[in-house]
Amino acid sequence: MTHLQAGLSAETTEKARLELNENPDTLHQDIQQVRDMIITRPDIGFLRTDDDFILRFLRARKFNQVETFKLLAQYFQYRQQNLEMFQSFKADDLGIKRALMDGFPGVLENPDQYGRKILILFASNWDQSRNSFTDILRAILLSLEVLIEDPELQINGFILIIDWSNFSFKQASKLTPTILKLAIEGLQDSFPARFGGIHFVNQPWYIHALYTIIKPFLKDKTRKRIFLHGNNLNSLHQLIFPECLPSEFGGTLPPYDMGMWARTLLGPEYNDETEYTHTYDALHVKEALGSSDKDCTEKLMKRSQSAVEPGTLKHKDRDDDTAQPLLALD
């Protein structure tokens, strides 16, 4: 194991080898070969090219060096093309701070049974008079920047759950093709994160319609990782065990504390948006995340997925018509 793999558990190191083709003997060579490609794109300002930084892109593209460089270039090109989004790109920026305080995004303390970090969004919390969609996207991207510093998450990846309960047609009408394209480009095409699943729950018909519109802009790999569960929690629980979910999603954990992630980023001095003016401290965030991230994983890795019998987690008061996800994970 090289110093670039320091801090990884033995299980995660083996997972990186098997799933991502990560080889400690050629790690530095792989990184340098990606770095050598930078001269082919003089139109892009590559503001960071250190080993640790390039490694997260290699992991996101399973050590395919050409695809890695393409993602690295798109990461910086996206920032060049959307400069206004990344001005004052810090947690105490008023727009980002408001979005964080409203739970955009929420980040669960414990990962799922496969070590993937769980992000949650309660769509109905979007108040257009308070949060612009751009600020919500900025808050999500900033959160991912902080989280992706963890090499375990570079390998294990993320899960996103969006709860569309009480999300009105009026709110949905504000999701224009322009802003949706901005979000897709920022998350799908320009960020080195491995998304193992994007789960819609309690989505109304007009969110189905919206998904149909944006579907052609999604990569095939992304489409296969989107699950539309409706109001049936059984299919959600077959993919993310209830032991890893708060009660809002039928899980066994307490209700999600909407301010938890905002307090993590803003620090112990977090009060309200008129008083707090400090930026987040990356070291503080790392300490706040702590070792508890592994608790759920350690408890549940011993449990095979076959332990979830079809129908055993079904809620009696839920509609049975949408028991299966519309899209299957490959």
Side-chain angles (χ1 to χ4, degrees):
M1 180 183 293
T2 74
H3 75 277
L4 290 170
Q5 294 178 312
L8 291 178
S9 67
E11 293 81 6
T12 307
T13 302
E14 180 65 4
K15 182 176 183 179
R17 184 184 71 82
L18 293 174
E19 295 184 12
L20 307 183
N21 307 308
E22 184 166 326
N23 183 350
D25 296 331
T26 62
L27 211 51
H28 289 282
Q29 179 182 343
D30 293 332
I31 291 169
Q32 188 57 47
Q33 288 182 350
V34 172
R35 189 183 287 119
D36 289 343
M37 298 180 194
I38 289 175
I39 62 171
T40 66
R41 292 298 304 271
D43 57 311
I44 297 176
F46 291 87
L47 303 180
R48 185 178 171 187
T49 59
D50 58 273
D51 287 359
D52 287 322
F53 188 70
I54 292 178
L55 178 56
R56 68 186 62 171
F57 288 84
L58 278 162
R59 286 169 169 163
R61 290 296 180 264
K62 297 185 177 181
F63 280 76
N64 180 314
Q65 293 163 8
V66 172
E67 291 300 315
T68 294
F69 178 69
K70 186 184 299 184
L71 179 61
L72 180 67
Q74 287 173 170
Y75 173 91
F76 286 112
Q77 188 172 39
Y78 182 79
R79 279 148 181 75
Q80 285 181 195
Q81 293 173 343
N82 301 283
L83 287 174
E84 69 287 349
M85 283 182 59
F86 297 96
Q87 292 177 352
S88 188
F89 190 55
K90 53 189 179 181
D92 70 342
D93 172 84
L94 184 58
I96 292 178
K97 183 177 180 182
R98 284 176 172 170
L100 290 170
M101 290 173 66
D102 289 345
F104 296 109
V107 180
L108 299 189
E109 184 177 6
N110 293 321
D112 77 348
Q113 65 271 18
Y114 301 112
R116 300 175 294 194
K117 200 70 171 176
I118 303 174
L119 277 63
I120 57 176
L121 298 174
F122 294 97
S124 63
N125 286 355
W126 182 25
D127 179 353
Q128 287 100 333
S129 66
R130 175 179 167 87
N131 302 123
S132 71
F133 183 86
T134 301
D135 282 335
I136 289 175
L137 178 58
R138 292 170 73 220
I140 293 171
L141 288 171
L142 177 65
S143 297
L144 287 172
E145 290 282 3
V146 173
L147 292 166
I148 206 67
E149 291 287 336
D150 183 348
E152 292 269 340
L153 295 181
Q154 294 170 17
I155 295 166
N156 291 325
F158 299 85
I159 293 289
L160 176 62
I161 304 175
I162 306 177
D163 186 349
W164 297 98
S165 300
N166 302 314
F167 189 73
S168 69
F169 185 85
K170 181 179 180 181
Q171 287 173 302
S173 68
K174 303 296 183 181
L175 296 175
T176 65
T178 299
I179 61 176
L180 289 173
K181 182 173 181 288
L182 186 69
I184 292 169
E185 289 176 348
L187 296 170
Q188 172 187 256
D189 303 323
S190 308
F191 197 85
R194 304 183 67 211
F195 279 96
I198 301 171
H199 301 267
F200 287 12
V201 297
N202 299 313
Q203 72 276 5
W205 67 267
Y206 40 87
I207 296 302
H208 276 276
L210 189 64
Y211 174 66
T212 301
I213 293 172
I214 67 171
K215 191 174 178 180
F217 300 101
L218 300 175
K219 293 179 179 178
D220 184 60
K221 183 178 179 180
T222 302
R223 289 197 298 268
K224 290 179 179 179
R225 281 159 173 74
I226 295 179
F227 300 85
L228 309 179
H229 299 282
N231 63 355
N232 186 317
L233 296 181
N234 180 51
S235 58
L236 177 67
H237 292 169
Q238 291 185 49
L239 298 173
I240 309 174
F241 293 163
E243 293 89 336
C244 300
L245 293 171
S247 59
E248 292 94 331
F249 300 107
T252 60
L253 298 177
Y256 178 69
D257 175 2
M258 196 66 68
M260 184 187 73
W261 180 241
R263 289 193 297 272
T264 300
L265 282 186
L266 292 166
E269 300 89 351
Y270 165 79
N271 219 336
D272 65 40
E273 62 192 57
T274 62
E275 297 178 6
Y276 190 81
T277 58
H278 299 298
T279 60
Y280 77 89
D281 180 336
L283 178 61
H284 160 74
V285 171
K286 187 174 181 180
E287 291 172 347
L289 291 174
S291 60
S292 60
D293 273 4
K294 300 179 182 178
D295 292 348
C296 184
T297 308
E298 290 173 350
K299 292 177 183 177
L300 293 172
M301 284 301 287
K302 298 177 182 178
R303 169 182 173 179
S304 71
Q305 198 163 7
S306 64
V308 184
E309 299 274 330
T312 58
L313 298 172
K314 186 175 183 299
H315 289 249
K316 293 182 180 179
D317 58 342
R318 300 289 182 178
D319 186 355
D320 191 29
D321 292 339
T322 54
Q324 296 300 320
L326 298 187
L327 296 170
L329 182 64
D330 61 3

